[in-house]
Amino acid sequence: IKASIASIRYGYPARELHVIGVTGTTGKTTTALMIPKLLNEAGYKVATISNGLCGIGDDLKTSEAIDTADNLQNQLLDFKIQRRSTKSM
């Protein structure tokens, strides 16, 4: 219910985002960092959310426990990404 309330509060921000998920056994961090770099160079504004890193474009910051953030934090992050006109995540 918390996620639904947060979605309503922030205007369903995830609906406007394109998401690329990276899964697997090895190479996830490398791949997850290469994809936004390539997309940024191609002119896309990209947000990165990864274990230990989070940011928009080349402005990546160390972020602890981003993968365990609660639903409200995730919706707020989606909202901030959307407000900065980012279309890929």
Side-chain angles (χ1 to χ4, degrees):
I1 220 168
K2 194 174 181 182
S4 297
I5 292 169
S7 290
I8 292 166
R9 164 66 179 95
Y10 293 111
Y12 302 95
R15 289 182 179 172
E16 301 297 321
L17 300 174
H18 302 279
V19 178
I20 298 172
V22 179
T23 64
T25 306
T26 58
K28 291 182 298 294
T29 301
T30 301
T31 303
L33 293 176
M34 286 174 57
I35 291 170
K37 191 166 204 64
L38 292 170
L39 290 173
N40 280 327
E41 288 178 11
Y44 291 93
K45 195 168 190 183
V46 180
T48 302
I49 302 171
S50 181
N51 290 338
L53 288 175
C54 162
I56 296 175
D58 291 328
D59 184 26
L60 295 178
K61 296 187 177 18
T62 302
S63 176
E64 295 178 19
I66 191 71
D67 57 336
T68 58
D70 70 24
N71 295 325
L72 182 59
Q73 288 174 317
N74 288 334
Q75 292 296 327
L76 178 57
L77 183 57
D78 288 351
F79 176 72
K80 287 178 180 178
I81 291 167
Q82 181 198 25
R83 294 280 300 211
R84 289 188 62 181
S85 300
T86 299
K87 293 296 180 189
S88 297
M89 183 163 106

